[in-house]
Amino acid sequence: MIKIINQINGSQNSRYLNLEIGTKKLATPTYFPSISSASTRMPYSSTIRTLVTSEYPQLLVSCYDLYELEKDKEIIQYVKEHFEKKNLLFIDSGEFERYWFKKSDWNFEKYKKIVETFNSDFFASYDIIPTTPNKFEDVITLTIQKTEASFDLIKNNYCITIFHGSSPRELCELIENVLSSNKEFFGMISVAERECGKMIEDKIKTVQKIRGILKQKSPDTILHILGCGNPLSIVLLTFAGADSFDSFDWNRWIIDKKTMQFNDFANLSLLDCTCKGCHSKNRDPREKAMLHNLIFYQNFMYRLQRSIIDNESISTVLGEFVGPKNLSKIASFFNS
Ligand SMILES: [Zn+2]
């Protein structure tokens, strides 16, 4: 179970949490590198090998991929090894892959099979991305039904409730409604970054609104943002009230740590980087790029945690990366 050992509130809605998850520990804000068959540019096996051998302490994989890759002993062994090494494992529901692959045969029974087969620190609840307009009452009922079924199944591990909305407004209303009747679903919740709005200013407002709803009735709730790996977005959404993030950006682009911008894998040598990943020997250059990114995220999240503990403002955190014009724009996103 998740226990908050220490909490320090920083500027705006930012907060530093020191958590105990069973016998493991986690400090937030945090970033889970995710691997998905729907997005990886490298073979799944070399992506997971790079992550697990790098000893990055967190990993997100999906039930869908574990179901499809069940016979690939090497991949399954890496997932188990990661969990057993006392690192944190987050197994997502599989809805993202079902949605992108347009697979109509992904269902609760398959999800159940993976939940019952694997040990994990976190399992996402079984969820459905809305594709056709539903009556809002039906969305609430369906979300509660699927979450209840997931919580019943995931008794010995931790279940993260996933919320989907066809608009940011519906997403917030859904969270507010479910919170009023089912507070037990609110240890840790998750929303997709893309459903929080089209532009960063919309996403900030949505995350602020969600944190505002949680502050009223469930202030300890940990808020995870699915599919958010842009370093600038991570900073802004942390100050808006999010605690945790994941994305597969780390296995698709390289991050230029001087600018916090993504660049093509092929341009790694142009970054002129001196990190351990870039200087590792006998590796595929793309594996070096992934290691470079993992080192970046680990240092970056640690630096963000320190900024919150030291009560630094967004301007102080971002000052070296964005110019004065953008800093005043960002200030307006938070003040309007
Ligand atoms: Zn590097």
Side-chain angles (χ1 to χ4, degrees):
M1 294 300 102
I2 296 185
K3 203 166 146 193
I4 298 178
I5 303 299
N6 185 22
Q7 174 168 349
I8 297 167
N9 294 326
S11 173
Q12 299 285 345
N13 281 340
S14 67
R15 54 193 208 158
Y16 166 83
L17 301 177
N18 219 319
L19 305 170
E20 234 175 49
I21 296 119
T23 57
K24 300 180 185 179
K25 289 193 165 44
L26 178 67
T28 73
T30 191
Y31 173 78
F32 285 76
S34 66
I35 306 176
S36 168
S37 59
S39 76
T40 185
R41 289 182 175 177
M42 293 273 288
Y44 198 107
S45 56
S46 59
T47 309
I48 196 163
R49 184 181 64 238
T50 303
L51 187 129
V52 175
T53 54
S54 80
E55 308 225 329
Y56 190 96
Q58 281 122 244
L59 165 65
L60 185 149
V61 292
S62 92
C63 278
Y64 179 97
D65 285 338
L66 294 181
Y67 188 88
E68 293 293 321
L69 297 166
E70 210 184 351
K71 290 194 175 67
D72 192 321
K73 286 191 180 134
E74 191 197 2
I75 289 174
I76 300 303
Q77 186 50 38
Y78 278 124
V79 175
K80 289 182 176 168
E81 189 183 322
H82 177 83
F83 176 82
E84 283 158 13
K85 272 182 178 170
K86 301 280 174 196
N87 297 313
L88 287 159
L89 180 62
F90 181 155
I91 302 188
D92 198 5
S93 66
E95 173 60 6
F96 176 76
E97 288 75 17
R98 183 209 63 78
Y99 181 79
W100 286 105
F101 289 134
K102 296 186 170 50
K103 282 269 191 177
S104 54
D105 60 347
W106 177 248
N107 56 35
F108 188 79
E109 282 310 305
K110 291 181 178 176
Y111 165 82
K112 183 171 179 247
K113 185 180 174 207
I114 296 305
V115 170
E116 288 174 344
T117 307
F118 284 85
N119 284 318
S120 181
D121 303 288
F122 307 105
F123 282 101
S125 62
Y126 186 77
D127 56 331
I128 295 172
I129 297 173
T131 46
T132 50
N134 284 325
K135 275 204 309 197
F136 185 56
E137 290 71 26
D138 296 341
V139 175
I140 298 173
T141 309
L142 200 63
T143 303
I144 292 174
Q145 275 174 1
K146 298 288 178 204
T147 309
E148 257 167 6
S150 306
F151 269 68
D152 281 349
L153 182 65
I154 305 163
K155 289 190 195 86
N156 299 323
N157 297 95
Y158 203 82
C159 186
I160 299 172
T161 308
I162 310 281
F163 289 97
H164 291 290
S166 54
S167 66
R169 190 177 154 186
E170 186 178 287
L171 181 65
C172 294
E173 285 179 10
L174 176 66
I175 291 171
E176 197 164 17
N177 266 276
V178 177
L179 180 56
S180 66
S181 59
N182 293 78
K183 203 180 164 195
E184 68 277 18
F185 296 160
F186 282 77
M188 184 164 172
I189 67 166
S190 187
V191 297
E193 190 211 32
R194 66 184 177 279
E195 291 176 18
C196 290
K198 290 188 179 71
M199 310 303 284
I200 188 65
E201 51 270 43
D202 307 323
K203 295 172 198 285
I204 290 168
K205 290 276 167 282
T206 305
V207 173
Q208 282 176 325
K209 185 136 193 241
I210 295 171
R211 180 52 71 196
I213 293 165
L214 296 173
K215 270 183 187 170
Q216 301 285 323
K217 285 187 179 163
S218 186
D220 287 347
T221 298
I222 295 151
L223 176 59
H224 179 86
I225 310 292
L226 289 160
C228 177
N230 180 297
L232 181 58
S233 304
I234 287 178
V235 172
L236 296 177
L237 298 186
T238 293
F239 279 87
D243 302 301
S244 175
F245 304 86
D246 80 88
S247 77
F248 33 71
D249 297 302
W250 73 279
N251 60 55
R252 292 179 63 81
W253 314 100
I254 43 166
I255 300 169
D256 184 343
K257 58 189 178 190
K258 294 189 195 100
T259 61
M260 288 210 292
Q261 300 297 319
F262 291 125
N263 204 326
D264 194 275
F265 259 23
N267 294 345
L268 182 67
S269 56
L270 301 178
L271 296 187
D272 214 12
C273 178
T274 56
C275 84
K276 245 168 79 182
C278 289
H279 284 265
S280 57
K281 287 186 178 145
N282 301 325
R283 278 188 183 267
D284 182 304
R286 295 167 303 175
E287 289 185 16
K288 282 188 183 190
M290 289 192 280
L291 277 178
H292 162 90
N293 289 339
L294 292 171
I295 292 167
F296 167 84
Y297 275 113
Q298 223 170 348
N299 292 336
F300 177 70
M301 297 315 290
Y302 179 71
R303 162 87 180 85
L304 185 54
Q305 290 167 10
R306 288 301 321 169
S307 302
I308 296 168
I309 293 167
D310 295 341
N311 202 24
E312 288 179 358
S313 65
I314 304 176
S315 307
T316 311
V317 178
L318 292 179
E320 55 188 294
F321 300 107
V322 299
K325 206 171 156 189
N326 275 337
L327 274 182
S328 68
K329 255 189 218 167
I330 286 167
S332 74
F333 298 158
F334 278 85
N335 295 331
S336 59

